[in-house]
Amino acid sequence: MTPEQSSICERFQKVHPRCQALWERASRLIPGGITHDIRYLTPFPIYVARAEGARKWDVDGQEYVDYWMGHGALFLGHSQPRVVAAVQAQMALGTHPGACHELEIRWAQLVNQLVPCAELVRFTMSGTESTHLAMRLARAHTGKPKVLKFHGHFHGWHDGVVGGVQPPYDQPVSAGVSEATLGEVLLCQANDVKQVEELFQRGDVAALIMEPAGGHSGDLPTLPGVLENLRALTARYGVVLIFDEVITCFRYAPGGAQAYFGVTPDLTTLAKILAGGLPGGAVAGRREIMSLIAHRNDPVWDRGSRVAHAGTFNANPLSAVAGITTLELLADGEAQRRANKTGATLRSELGALVRRLGVPAEVYGESSIYHLSFEGLPGPSGFDKPRNHALYYLLRCALLLEGVDAPLFHSWISATHTEEEVHRTVKAYENALKAMASEGAFR
Ligand SMILES: Cc1ncc(COP(=O)(O)O)c(C=O)c1O
């Protein structure tokens, strides 16, 4: 069915005239009218005017329970009052001193205290920059060129990680990347420890980078025991193990998935929750590897052997103060316990709902994330075919009409989602899935 034939799309258009007008204006100025690929939506995206707690309101006055939560960054909710106050106070003191400042030390100290592998911490401005830097550090540390990456694992948008992101895995998710760069990354099926070892035996692998809980925020879960096996294997072959914890750190536990699963990597990449809803990221890890960035007051080392790392807004005071306030608020694990409980309730109630309605969907997940799949549960190596995006766009529109905004495949729950919001969400899914069924979407 095309969007024009769908009564859901028709109703969506009817209640969002201002969103549509903004999108038409945006499309004349911004390619595709959007500023992040995953905000793409047919017939058009919504435009949000304000947000608070777990809710947000669009320019047409529609209210939503939000499961985007700043792409997973806003674990303590939109406009958390203590974060807002801290950022406002810092704003008046200066947003960029062009110099070192005490806040970056406090921020690094918190990461060091919370995250098991974080002997040293270097701040960046995004998760993409963090994975880029971590891969560079691993290559410098080992003197080897290749990085091993799993099918279906996402590490941002830089040239080094666009291979093997979505099926078909032999086709990168972006044009414009040279064959030489693509060839520097070896792709491997997720959860296939044997294939990993075979690739390590080539002798040219610097690092294994992975999302520890599984690709795409756990859409493709890592099987029990695999992290332990990969830790042992990387140690045996001298390969740097990088956990990309941009999603999981501070969410699964104050110390991230590495604390939750009890497996410590050599390096970890951070962003999102780290900076409390402002832009920010970091690489953290073993002193020996991280120290490759440090100057030594030795011209030969400093110019020729060091890992270079710049970035105008790295550890800027606004991001630092938002990050510090957030990490202090979630350090005791209480927010994670609350969000994990909400996650378990939502997964169980949505699972029961799709079974009761007889809708061909699976609901699964871990911690404070739930996944809804129309393609069944993923196998050990993930989904082998492209997902049916049109069906997910339709679900998103149907949910928006019912007052819920959930991303296509995985939804991020915050510590501020209440029981009442969970009930509202389940009711919204019920109405949305019924509307989809009634227009033959599942046939
Ligand atoms: C696991 C993972 N790594 C890296 C990134 C890239 O982070 P950013 O969007 O901050 O560049 C993301 C973004 O969603 C992510 O989920």
Side-chain angles (χ1 to χ4, degrees):
M1 182 189 323
T2 64
E4 297 73 43
Q5 295 162 326
S6 161
S7 71
I8 293 170
C9 285
E10 209 175 283
R11 280 192 291 136
F12 179 83
Q13 277 170 288
K14 213 170 267 169
V15 299
H16 292 104
R18 289 190 176 165
C19 289
Q20 181 161 11
L22 285 182
W23 178 70
E24 282 163 7
R25 218 176 106 200
S27 300
R28 289 194 287 275
L29 297 163
I30 300 169
I34 51 170
T35 47
H36 187 310
D37 286 351
I38 63 167
R39 297 189 200 138
Y40 178 77
L41 180 67
T42 54
F44 51 80
I46 57 162
Y47 284 77
V48 172
R50 76 187 171 90
E52 193 183 328
R55 311 257 177 132
K56 63 189 184 191
W57 292 265
D58 72 19
V59 291
D60 288 296
Q62 306 290 323
E63 179 185 281
Y64 305 105
V65 178
D66 188 22
Y67 290 95
W68 284 77
M69 300 310 297
H71 293 219
L74 294 163
F75 187 61
L76 300 179
H78 290 281
S79 312
Q80 206 287 337
R82 295 215 355 222
V83 175
V84 171
V87 171
Q88 282 173 338
Q90 182 56 42
M91 192 82 191
L93 297 174
T95 60
H96 197 313
C100 303
H101 55 91
E102 196 168 342
L103 290 168
E104 65 194 4
I105 306 172
R106 174 70 187 137
W107 200 13
Q109 197 173 33
L110 278 159
V111 175
N112 167 269
Q113 281 163 7
L114 294 173
V115 182
C117 81
E119 289 176 0
L120 294 178
V121 186
R122 182 84 170 202
F123 292 104
T124 66
M125 273 307 283
S126 68
T128 295
E129 291 181 27
S130 300
T131 60
H132 190 45
L133 177 60
M135 287 163 66
R136 186 183 283 187
L137 277 165
R139 288 187 171 114
H141 174 67
T142 58
K144 294 178 179 172
K146 307 288 187 200
V147 170
L148 200 157
K149 173 191 174 298
F150 286 132
H151 289 171
H153 285 224
F154 178 68
H155 304 296
W157 64 271
H158 64 82
D159 285 5
V161 290
V162 294
V165 177
Q166 283 169 11
Y169 293 118
D170 57 0
Q171 186 186 339
V173 283
S174 179
V177 179
S178 74
E179 286 298 327
T181 301
L182 292 171
E184 292 297 275
V185 176
L186 306 175
L187 301 177
C188 176
Q189 291 198 347
N191 291 308
D192 190 341
V193 178
K194 196 163 159 277
Q195 201 190 350
V196 171
E197 179 154 22
E198 280 164 17
L199 289 166
F200 283 179
Q201 281 164 353
R202 295 164 46 114
D204 60 356
V205 179
L208 165 62
I209 187 167
M210 64 181 298
E211 292 184 75
H216 286 292
S217 292
D219 272 0
L220 323 170
T222 302
L223 298 179
V226 166
L227 290 181
E228 290 81 353
N229 284 333
L230 292 175
R231 177 64 284 187
L233 214 54
T234 45
R236 186 155 12 112
Y237 283 87
V239 170
V240 176
L241 179 60
I242 306 170
F243 279 179
D244 180 354
E245 293 232 40
V246 164
I247 293 286
T248 48
C249 203
F250 314 113
R251 172 179 295 279
Y252 272 53
Q258 55 200 271
Y260 185 86
F261 294 116
V263 177
T264 306
D266 299 304
L267 295 179
T268 196
T269 51
L270 308 171
K272 300 202 192 257
I273 299 171
L274 170 77
L278 266 67
V283 179
R286 270 173 48 202
R287 178 176 302 276
E288 185 193 359
I289 307 175
M290 295 296 298
S291 297
L292 293 172
I293 308 176
H295 286 78
R296 293 184 184 169
N297 199 22
D298 164 356
V300 178
W301 163 268
D302 289 354
R303 172 61 186 83
S305 306
R306 210 175 58 78
V307 168
H309 176 233
T312 300
F313 285 100
N314 292 349
N316 71 82
L318 292 185
S319 298
V321 85
I324 291 167
T325 311
T326 299
L327 298 194
E328 284 175 347
L329 286 169
L330 55 66
D332 67 2
E334 186 43 41
Q336 291 83 353
R337 277 189 286 281
R338 218 169 37 246
N340 288 353
K341 189 159 168 265
T342 310
T345 307
L346 261 171
R347 288 189 293 271
S348 139
E349 295 199 7
L350 291 176
L353 174 73
V354 294
R355 286 191 295 278
R356 178 161 61 77
L357 296 180
V359 168
E362 297 283 352
V363 179
Y364 60 101
E366 192 160 8
S367 182
S368 50
I369 301 177
Y370 70 85
H371 314 273
L372 186 141
S373 162
F374 291 123
E375 289 88 8
L377 289 171
S381 51
F383 293 104
D384 49 9
K385 291 195 295 284
R387 316 284 295 266
N388 180 353
H389 280 75
L391 204 51
Y392 292 92
Y393 295 141
L394 193 62
L395 172 63
R396 185 157 176 230
C397 287
L399 281 172
L400 285 163
L401 286 167
E402 297 295 332
V404 165
D405 190 14
L408 299 193
F409 308 118
H410 38 257
S411 292
W412 297 295
I413 297 154
S414 76
T416 54
H417 281 83
T418 62
E419 253 178 60
E420 195 267 316
E421 283 160 344
V422 167
H423 292 317
R424 245 210 222 205
T425 302
V426 177
K427 191 70 203 155
Y429 269 92
E430 176 167 2
N431 292 343
L433 291 167
K434 280 180 176 166
M436 288 173 72
S438 78
E439 61 179 55
F442 303 121
R443 260 186 249 127

